[in-house]
């Protein structure tokens, strides 16, 4: 059968964090800069999970082709 990526939302659910698929395992995040941003931090993607989340803004960075990359 087909595997559908279904997302259910409830009225009080927080929006899903932004997800960025990147090449490589190191990236930086500043929350998008501006008033809503945060100090730039460097993040390293965990080899076993294939992703890392920013501790400031909950953005998720996924390594292209890694375990968490659904498009692989």
């Amino acid at each position: 059968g087909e595997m559908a990526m279904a997302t259910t939302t409830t009225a009080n659910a927080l929006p899903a964090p932004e997800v960025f698929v990147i090449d490589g395992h190191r990236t930086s995040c500043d929350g998008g800069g501006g008033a809503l941003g945060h100090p730039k931090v460097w993040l390293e993607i965990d080899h076993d999970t294939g992703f890392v989340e920013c501790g400031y803004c909950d953005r998720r960075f996924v390594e292209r082709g890694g375990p968490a990359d659904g498009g692989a």
Side-chain angles (χ1 to χ4, degrees):
E2 286 184 43
M3 282 189 61
M5 300 265 300
T7 358
T8 54
T9 14
T10 55
N12 59 359
L14 291 169
E18 289 181 273
V19 177
F20 299 88
V21 179
I22 61 166
D23 293 302
H25 60 275
R26 271 180 69 77
T27 187
S28 65
C29 183
D30 62 4
L36 299 175
H38 59 70
K40 181 187 246 186
V41 289
W42 286 92
L43 306 168
E44 183 124 10
I45 290 179
D46 183 273
H47 182 71
D48 295 327
T49 63
F51 72 91
V52 67
E53 287 180 350
C54 176
Y56 282 101
C57 66
D58 290 336
R59 283 180 168 183
R60 178 176 289 197
F61 296 88
V62 174
E63 185 174 9
R64 191 180 313 281
D69 183 6

